[in-house]
Amino acid sequence: MGIIDSAVERARRSANAASLGLAAITAAPPKPVYPAKRIWIDLVRLRTAGYLPEEGQELRFADYYRAIKRPIIQQALGVHAAADLRLILVSSALPGEGKTFTSVNLALSMAREHDISVLLVDADLSRSHLSCTLGAENEPGLVDSLLDETQDVESFIMRSYTRGLDFLPAGRPTAGTTELIASARMAQLASWLSTRNPRRLVLFDSAPLLVSSEARALAQIPGQIILVARAGRTPRHALLNAIAHVDKKKLHGLVLNDAYVGAGDGYYGYGPYATKGNGTAGHRDAVRD
C-alpha cells in the first residue's frame, strides 16, 4: 500500500470512528444534571401563617403525627408494596378543615425518619397557598412540567435545608388545571416521582374534594388517601360525600382536626369508614387550610 493509499485509509477510519461516536451520543444522551435549587423552610413563617402548632404544643403534636405516619410508612415501604403506595394524597371535603396544616406537619414528621425522603407537592393548583407561604410562588413547578413534556419534573424540585424534605411548587397559574391533572402526562409524572427513588414518599397537598374537580381527578392517582375533617364543623354528609369520590381501598384513614384530646384519650377517625389508629391532630388552632 502506497503512501497516498495509507493516508486515505487512515482518514476513512478516523471518519468512521467519529461517526460511531456521534451515533453513540445520539442514542444514549447523558443524564442531565440539574442545579440544586434550595428553599428555606421557615418554621417561624409557617407558624405565623397558621401551618404549625403554637409554641409549647410541639411535643404533643409530634406524638399525634407519629401515630398518623407510622402505618402510612409501613404500607408504603413494605416488602411487596406497589410504587403507587408511595404516593399519598391529603385532602378534605371542604375548605378550612386543616388539610394543608396536616400536609405540612405530616411531611415534617416523616422527614425525621432516617431512611426515607419526603417530597411535599403543592397540588392545589388553583390557589397554591403553600407555595406562596414558602416563598416559591414565582418558581416553576408541577404545572410547568405538565405543560411542557420536554421538561423533567425532577428539575423543578426545590431542595430544602430541612434534612429529608424537598418541595415541588404548584408552578405558574394557568387555565384548565383539571384537564392537566386528569391527563396521561400527570400519571406519568406521578409514576416517575414514585419510582426514581424507592425510598421517597410523595405527599400531595390537594384542593378540597367537594369544591375542586382537579382534586377529584388527582385522587385517582395516589395509592394512599388521607381525609381531614374538622371537629364540630365538617358536616357528616359532606364527609361521606367526599369519601364517595375516592376509592375506598385507597382511603388510609381520617384525621380529626381542631379537637381536644385529653391525657389517655384518643379519637381516631370519624364515621363508618374510620380506621382506629390513624390519628387525631387535635388543637383549637390547627385549622388553617
Side-chain angles (χ1 to χ4, degrees), residues 196-216:
R196 285 188 178 182
N197 180 355
R199 305 302 294 180
R200 173 200 279 167
L201 301 184
V202 183
L203 202 61
F204 293 97
D205 177 45
S206 165
L209 286 164
L210 299 188
V211 299
S212 171
S213 56
E214 70 181 44
R216 296 191 290 274

Side-chain angles (χ1 to χ4, degrees), residues 87 146 180-192 221:
L87 303 173
L146 289 171
L180 286 174
I181 291 292
S183 68
R185 172 68 174 170
M186 180 65 208
Q188 183 184 51
L189 294 184
S191 177
W192 285 345
I221 295 175

Side-chain angles (χ1 to χ4, degrees), residues 133-248:
T133 301
L134 294 177
E137 65 271 25
N138 296 319
E139 294 291 339
L142 179 58
V143 169
D144 302 85
S145 189
L146 289 171
L147 288 171
D148 186 352
E149 295 192 6
T150 67
Q151 296 289 340
D152 188 338
V153 66
E154 294 281 341
S155 67
F156 298 129
I157 293 176
M158 303 185 73
R159 311 302 172 187
S160 163
Y161 289 103
T162 301
R163 191 200 67 82
L165 179 62
D166 296 327
F167 179 64
L168 179 61
R172 56 175 154 156
T174 188
T177 52
T178 297
E179 288 74 19
L180 286 174
I181 291 292
S183 68
R185 172 68 174 170
M186 180 65 208
Q188 183 184 51
L189 294 184
S191 177
W192 285 345
L193 291 173
S194 65
T195 56
R196 285 188 178 182
N197 180 355
R199 305 302 294 180
R200 173 200 279 167
L201 301 184
V202 183
L203 202 61
F204 293 97
D205 177 45
S206 165
L209 286 164
L210 299 188
V211 299
S212 171
S213 56
E214 70 181 44
R216 296 191 290 274
L218 183 60
Q220 307 305 310
I221 295 175
Q224 298 193 65
I225 297 174
I226 300 168
L227 290 183
V228 179
R230 182 176 174 184
R233 172 167 171 170
T234 306
R236 182 184 178 87
H237 68 84
L239 185 58
L240 295 179
N241 194 8
I243 290 172
H245 283 291
V246 303
D247 186 342
K248 307 305 180 297

